[in-house]
Amino acid sequence: MSQLTLSSSLTYIKGLGPVRTKVLSEMGIQTVENMLYYFPRRYLDRTSVSQIRHIEKDRYCTIVGTVQEATVRNLGRKSLFEATLYDNTGQVSLVWFHAIPLVKKMLKKGDRLAVTGKVGYYRGFQMTHPEWDKLNSNEDPINTQSIIPIYPLTQELRETGLDHRRLRKVISNILDSISVIEDYLPKRVLKKHQLSPLLYSIKEIHFPSNESGLENAINRLKFDEHYFLQLLMAIRKTSFEGTSSKPLEEKGNNIRSVYENLEFRLTLSQKKVVKEILNDMEQPSTMNRLLQGDVGSGKTVVAVLAACVAVDSGAQCAVMAPTEILAVQHFESFQKFTKTSPLSCELLIGNTPQRERTSTLKKLSENKINIIIGTHALIQEDVYFNSLGLVIVDEQHRFGVDQRNKLTSKGCNPHFLAMTATPIPRTLAITYYGDMECSILDEVPKYRKPVITRVVLPEMLHKVYQYMETEMKKGRQCMIVYPLVEETEKSDLKAAEENFKKLSNGEFSNFSIALIHGRMNKEEKYRVMEEFSNNKFQLLVSTTVIEVGIDVPNATVMVVEHAERFGLTQLHQLRGRVGRGTEKSVCVLVQRKFTDSGFKRLKIMEETNDGFKIADEDLLMRGPGAFFSLKQSGFIKYRIADLVRDKAIIQRARKAAIDLINKDPHLRKKGHDGIRRKFTKEYRDMLMDLKLN
């Protein structure tokens, strides 16, 4: 094989051929560099392999053994492929019900396999559809004490005959033939952060010499991914800080009127956050701030006070929410807080009648509306502002970057405030919102009592219903929520409808009950919610449509059915629909199926009301997908990094990135050429709107 470079095409790689090259290309692997950055997903060594005599039912494990038998068994209309694996301490059956011809072709008697899966038991120990890899005699981790890389091979790759052994050979040949791999990080950075050189790290990640070498390689390559993402965040943050905006610093009649007529005192946390936001708005550069607030911490009044300062300063304010229910709730809250103020506030949603919409748009363009609240309707092309100076986006993680930009582009670099009622773990905050300053509301108003949370089994529901009956007789209100269930079962709507009828004719036949779900038209949903808010219904049966945007201080009991099916963050949001008044409130989590993870989640809910603790636990249990859509983030390209487990690395990478951008904002100084090239290559698409000249 001739000398290769990182940009060399895979067509020059011995051992691949046109078919495999085509499949790899469809996976985004088209060059030598792509191939070298196709990292193993796990490793086999003596410490990770179990002897068959030590395996246990319902446990996941990895075993290494030899195939003694391999045969197709007919079971009437169906068939299965079964292989018996033996390792001198015992045997286990490996069973496949699908892709039988392919497995039969690839597995033969005498093959040495590494197998990973969940252990079952049917006439002996067995694994159904396990992950498996063929091993050479010199690759056996039991006999050679070597560390063997296992790659994320797709079915398409396996069908081309590219197994782990061949792939390891291909990568070994590449490393033998590569002419140079430039280390884009300067030696001083490597030394400061105790990082291994790039070439060493790439060799060790594929062919570890020992555990220490592998650990150092993983640390270096994870650092790189976090570092370049944090560089992007630091540059974006700098670009906001360098953008001129109109200072909004007038504290006139509107904010004085609202503040002096509040029916409660702001918490110390609210006062601190308001000060941070107003200080930003006073600056001639654009505010770009994230306001995190736990359920019930009082974000809305903070947003109202910020909007009042904008209006007092002669600017308009736009508030965008992800759902019409939430937009209507914000509109009603803004109206309530500003009723003693002369400012004008209007609502614009998809449900707004055409005549009313036309009138609203005209007044907005003529500066006769000070605050406009709405949904995606605000970013339509025919929406024009006269002097948009402040944009507030609620639950920003539900919007894409483009939607946010469309709204801010309707003004001249307006100040920007994002709000979220989903507490975000620190690692996620600095990754997804690393370009923003962060304010946190971590204090609940003193008049609100902590919600009592209890997990119950179905046989205890009669006592729960008795308590609900007592509460409703006192004039209070209750809610019952049904989850989205698996497709193989009846839908959440059907469950809610069936139980609505059952409860209406049974336990709660003497009370007024309403049903709300996502398939109702908007008018029906608004009517039901408005009537429930006005206490015309005592019990609301619902799907998860009420997760956010519901504020009924008179509601004191929340029952969540099949609670084990919900994630922690969603359970916390649902619990937050009660406890918004002065009375004691209870959240009952009904557990109908027992799983280890479900039990752990419900136990956490019983133990704490702290949304930030819950967010940390949810991140550990479910990963970042529980918080954000990766499509919306637009820039996650991790190959080896892990947002959940890399907290220390993320913090080091962030500090290093900020230090670099503070010293060299445009990456032009001597020694930073490699960083600049790598960075612009990784994030070319994200840099279109940034000035890196």
Side-chain angles (χ1 to χ4, degrees), residues 398-456:
R398 298 192 180 196
F399 293 100
V401 175
D402 288 344
Q403 292 167 322
R404 162 185 160 166
N405 290 343
K406 282 182 180 178
L407 184 53
T408 56
S409 68
K410 293 181 180 292
C412 183
N413 300 327
H415 296 279
F416 183 82
L417 176 67
M419 301 195 301
T420 177
T422 305
I424 305 170
R426 175 67 176 161
T427 53
L428 285 185
I430 64 178
T431 300
Y432 286 86
Y433 294 128
D435 56 341
M436 306 180 80
E437 298 294 338
C438 188
S439 293
I440 295 177
L441 285 173
D442 54 5
E443 184 181 1
V444 177
K446 289 183 172 57
Y447 68 85
R448 289 188 176 175
K449 299 176 181 177
V451 177
I452 299 168
T453 305
R454 292 289 180 266
V455 179
V456 302

Side-chain angles (χ1 to χ4, degrees), residues 8 43 53 89 112 130 133 169 406 410 443 496:
S8 296
Y43 298 86
R53 67 180 177 187
T89 71
R112 189 74 171 158
D133 306 292
K169 182 64 175 174
K406 282 182 180 178
K410 293 181 180 292
E443 184 181 1

Side-chain angles (χ1 to χ4, degrees), residues 22-75:
K22 183 176 183 294
V23 173
L24 288 168
S25 179
E26 290 170 353
M27 296 168 58
I29 303 172
Q30 300 169 343
T31 66
V32 164
E33 182 175 21
N34 298 151
M35 193 79 259
L36 291 179
Y37 276 83
Y38 189 59
F39 298 137
R41 59 181 166 82
R42 62 189 176 94
Y43 298 86
L44 293 178
D45 61 21
R46 292 178 66 88
T47 62
S48 65
V49 177
S50 301
Q51 291 181 317
I52 292 178
R53 67 180 177 187
H54 291 148
I55 65 176
E56 299 177 20
K57 184 176 178 291
D58 295 329
R59 297 284 184 181
Y60 283 89
C61 66
T62 297
I63 54 179
V64 172
T66 303
V67 176
Q68 279 193 323
E69 280 186 66
T71 183
V72 175
R73 291 174 50 198
N74 293 317
L75 304 173

